Amino acid sequence: MKTLRTASLPLLAALFAAGCGHAPKAGETAAAFDAPLDITGSFAPRGQAGMDRLDQDETQRICSEYEGKPVPPELVTTIMEAANAGIRFPADGNYLGDWKNGEKIAKTGTGLQSNDDPNLPNGGNCYACHQMAAEEIAYGTIAPSLGLYGKLRGNSEPILKYTWTRLWNSHAYNACSHMPRFGEKKILDEQQLKDVMAYLFDPQSPVNLEAPGKD
Ligand code: HEC
């Protein structure tokens, strides 16, 4: 075995040198691995999706840096305070719109993508992450179930404000939340947010009619 290995090493070296015209030196390879990951070359601007989509804001930058690790408490405070400062509550003090339109928004997964029509209203795509009405059997499980949301929590002012804040910018409650910032990033407008709120709170909304089954 030993003989075989010593005998084949020079042969391997010769093959390697012949095959790779510019084999990287050990130092160069290490530098390439250590460099920050540059993904810009993998994307091209298309439709409404420009290259600016790759620019992280401060919240995203911090949350990426600490992905899988605890975020230092002072940075958690910075993110949550900034998120809270940006919340805009409904100008007329009324949080609840039309639950039927809210249902459509919750079930619509289009908007803002390169092949979506920018003139159509964006969806909220809530079902991609949340279980909501019991009758809907297709939903994601990355997020907690919102089944019976209004029935279980009531519609007191603090609960309405909490939920509006969650929809506007979820980072106000969970620094590195994975939920889209629907208000802050203008994904949904004020009326759409009210409609989604009604879908969560209205006693007639399918969300509140029946307890959804468990997985
Ligand atoms: C990409 C996944 C994702 C989408 C899309 C999403 N959410 Fe969430 N949502 C989450 C996650 C994850 C949490 C809980 C953990 C956290 O804070 O990030 C959450 C939390 C919430 C909460 C707080 C739940 C509680 O128990 O207090 C509400 C309310 C909520 N989402 C409503 C919505 C609505 C309404 C929509 C659609 C307009 C939506 N979410 C879309 C991921 C998502």
Side-chain angles (χ1 to χ4, degrees):
M1 194 61 198
K2 192 164 188 272
T3 339
L4 183 65
R5 197 182 286 167
T6 31
S8 49
L9 264 180
L11 175 66
L12 272 179
L15 282 174
F16 188 65
C20 314
H22 50 273
K25 294 187 194 80
E28 286 171 8
T29 320
F33 278 118
D34 288 344
L37 187 63
D38 181 10
I39 54 169
T40 47
S42 307
F43 290 90
R46 197 168 142 227
Q48 59 185 322
M51 295 299 277
D52 58 324
R53 296 267 175 106
L54 297 178
D55 299 337
Q56 291 189 318
D57 63 25
E58 190 59 6
T59 298
Q60 291 168 322
R61 193 191 60 70
I62 294 170
C63 293
S64 295
E65 187 181 340
Y66 291 96
E67 178 68 39
K69 294 173 279 189
V71 183
E74 64 277 14
L75 292 180
V76 167
T77 309
T78 309
I79 293 175
M80 288 171 62
E81 282 180 1
N84 260 302
I87 310 293
R88 296 287 168 270
F89 291 104
D92 62 1
N94 185 6
Y95 289 90
L96 304 174
D98 170 7
W99 72 257
K100 289 188 179 155
N101 195 44
E103 178 174 46
K104 280 190 210 136
I105 295 166
K107 292 185 174 181
T108 300
T110 47
L112 296 172
Q113 296 160 115
S114 58
N115 53 349
D116 291 333
D117 180 351
N119 297 314
L120 293 177
N122 299 324
N125 210 14
C126 317
Y127 277 94
C129 300
H130 292 279
Q131 180 181 44
M132 299 180 91
E135 64 191 13
E136 180 55 74
I137 55 164
Y139 54 86
T141 53
I142 186 185
S145 171
L146 302 174
L148 297 183
Y149 192 86
K151 193 169 180 179
L152 292 175
R153 302 184 193 216
N155 61 353
S156 64
E157 183 84 6
I159 276 294
L160 291 172
K161 281 194 146 172
Y162 162 76
T163 309
W164 184 271
T165 303
R166 272 281 183 186
L167 294 179
W168 192 276
N169 187 347
S170 196
H171 296 262
Y173 282 103
N174 177 4
C176 290
S177 173
H178 286 148
M179 178 160 149
R181 294 167 277 182
F182 293 105
E184 179 67 28
K185 293 293 168 188
K186 301 188 166 58
I187 301 167
L188 301 178
D189 64 24
E190 188 181 276
Q191 187 57 49
Q192 288 180 302
L193 289 171
K194 288 183 177 187
D195 294 347
V196 171
M197 288 281 288
Y199 185 52
L200 289 172
F201 285 100
D202 196 299
Q204 301 304 313
S205 158
V207 168
N208 294 314
L209 291 184
E210 194 191 328
K214 299 225 175 346
D215 289 316

